[in-house]
Amino acid sequence: MKTPYFSITTMRSLLINTIIYGLPIPVIIISLLIGSSDNIGLAAFWDWIRSLVDSSHPSPVLVENVIFNIRLPRALMTFLVGAALATAGGVLQAIFRNPLVDPYILGISSGAAFGASLAILVPLLSIHISAFVFGAAAVSLTYVFGYTKNSSSITIILAGMIVSGLFSASLALVQYLSDPFKLQAIIQWTMGSLHLSSWHKVQQSWIPISLGLLGLYFIRWKLNLLSLGDDEARAVGVNPTYIKIIAVLLATIVTAVAVASAGIISLYGLFVPHITRMLVGASNTKTTPANIFFGGTFLLIIDNFCRTVFPYEIPIGIFTMIIGAPFFIFLIKKRKINWS
């Protein structure tokens, strides 16, 4: 009896890859058609597409303005932020060999949040530059406080929690010193929001996020060697310290830019890497690209939900917390939080 060409495992892998890598474009198109103000029909959308291809075809001005100037930059910004947070979380979990590590635990998000809020309070500072500087400072402090000759990942994580608390307190101080108008902007920003997305923000963010994700993609196979331990990595000719510095630096860049662009999106960099590992396995050669595409698509789906279900928009950070907390409770109950 001949073995079927497509086994069940092969068909499952094909289905998962189709979902992860084929879903972004349809979700982005759907994001252009729906919104809190009004939905755009397929006929109007098709007329706009025809006007781009055929200059003689009349362009629907209102539809073009809504799609091109409001919804398209928001969809692209959301995808970039989701890809950045999910990939950074997956990489940090691989480096520290701990499934509970994410950019917030190591202080990157809280440091970047403090930097961005400080830039809102003091307009002389650039939000993106300030977020990156303080995000990098938070990581540096985490290593200074937690790294010793015989330190473990748990020590680094505890140091990161202390640094995160320090910058969270500093963020609260900035809020206390702010005037009511800036305070409202900072509070709304700390809950995570993408409603102010624009082409200007996309232009500021896409290059550092894309370069950071590209760098993490190219070193993804070396992250598998780090999971074996530093001595084993050196045995095959890989300098673990050098790779860790590069990976943490790239994760800091993409996280800081994402936080500066969208605010604090809670738990997203923590639970999405677990979902991708459940789908494609634990190998970083597969999870890194999966985090890029699935992370961006899933956050876009959540954002569509936030801006269409209610007459008013709900901050996206609230929904990621609502989704992430029950997910981890489920994993704990099923005892699926492990590292292999």
Side-chain angles (χ1 to χ4, degrees):
M1 183 176 180
K2 295 184 178 180
T3 304
Y5 183 74
F6 285 107
S7 64
I8 295 178
T9 303
T10 304
M11 293 180 65
R12 178 181 179 275
S13 177
L14 182 62
L15 177 61
I16 290 174
N17 289 331
T18 301
I19 293 174
I20 292 176
Y21 300 109
L23 202 58
I25 297 300
V27 172
I28 290 176
I29 293 176
I30 293 174
S31 302
L32 302 181
L33 301 179
I34 61 176
S36 57
S37 58
D38 192 14
N39 293 336
I40 296 176
L42 290 175
F45 180 74
W46 177 246
D47 285 339
W48 177 66
I49 296 295
R50 285 185 60 189
S51 67
L52 297 178
V53 178
D54 185 4
S55 58
S56 63
H57 187 78
S59 174
V61 179
L62 179 60
V63 174
E64 180 179 8
N65 185 52
V66 170
I67 292 178
F68 189 76
N69 294 323
I70 299 176
R71 294 181 181 174
L72 182 57
R74 176 167 183 159
L76 296 177
M77 190 74 257
T78 305
F79 188 89
L80 287 172
V81 170
L85 295 177
T87 306
V91 167
L92 293 174
Q93 290 173 10
I95 291 174
F96 293 100
R97 290 181 289 171
N98 192 306
L100 298 179
V101 173
D102 77 332
Y104 188 82
I105 292 295
L106 293 183
I108 301 176
S109 293
S110 57
F114 168 74
S117 64
L118 188 63
I120 295 175
L121 179 64
V122 184
L124 297 177
L125 299 174
S126 167
I127 292 181
H128 284 78
I129 294 176
S130 181
F132 171 72
V133 169
F134 283 97
V139 175
S140 301
L141 288 175
T142 297
Y143 270 93
V144 169
F145 294 160
Y147 182 79
T148 59
K149 187 175 182 180
N150 297 318
S151 62
S152 63
S153 62
I154 299 298
T155 307
I156 299 293
I157 292 171
L158 292 175
M161 295 176 65
I162 295 172
V163 171
S164 180
L166 176 64
F167 277 102
S168 296
S170 302
L171 174 60
L173 180 61
V174 171
Q175 293 175 346
Y176 181 78
L177 297 175
S178 301
D179 60 69
F181 297 100
K182 292 181 179 179
L183 176 61
Q184 183 180 7
I186 293 174
I187 291 177
Q188 187 176 21
W189 178 85
T190 54
M191 291 188 291
S193 179
L194 289 150
H195 77 281
L196 294 178
S197 299
S198 62
W199 285 116
H200 178 66
K201 281 194 173 184
V202 173
Q203 290 172 356
Q204 286 183 323
S205 304
W206 80 269
I207 292 179
I209 289 180
S210 299
L211 291 178
L213 294 178
L214 192 63
L216 293 173
Y217 177 81
F218 282 133
I219 65 171
R220 68 193 187 284
W221 65 272
K222 294 183 180 179
L223 298 177
N224 287 336
L225 299 178
L226 295 181
S227 65
L228 301 175
D230 291 354
D231 294 335
E232 288 76 6
R234 292 190 185 94
V236 296
V238 173
N239 186 337
T241 303
Y242 178 70
I243 297 301
K244 288 180 181 178
I245 291 175
I246 292 179
V248 171
L249 178 62
L250 293 175
T252 302
I253 291 174
V254 299
T255 300
V257 175
V259 170
S261 302
I264 301 175
I265 301 180
S266 305
L267 291 182
Y268 196 76
L270 184 60
F271 73 83
V272 172
H274 285 279
I275 297 177
T276 56
R277 276 194 291 271
M278 292 169 64
L279 293 174
V280 301
S283 174
N284 290 284
T285 57
K286 295 181 178 180
T287 58
T288 301
N291 280 325
I292 294 174
F293 286 92
F294 181 77
T297 305
F298 191 48
L299 190 64
L300 194 53
I301 294 174
I302 297 174
D303 184 57
N304 291 339
F305 184 83
C306 293
R307 63 191 177 92
T308 56
V309 172
F310 300 101
Y312 47 87
E313 183 175 331
I314 303 296
I316 193 170
I318 296 176
F319 271 97
T320 55
M321 180 69 75
I322 292 174
I323 294 172
F327 178 77
F328 264 89
I329 293 174
F330 168 76
L331 291 181
I332 292 173
K333 291 295 184 180
K334 293 296 184 179
R335 296 183 179 180
K336 289 186 178 180
I337 292 187
N338 52 47
W339 197 254
S340 57

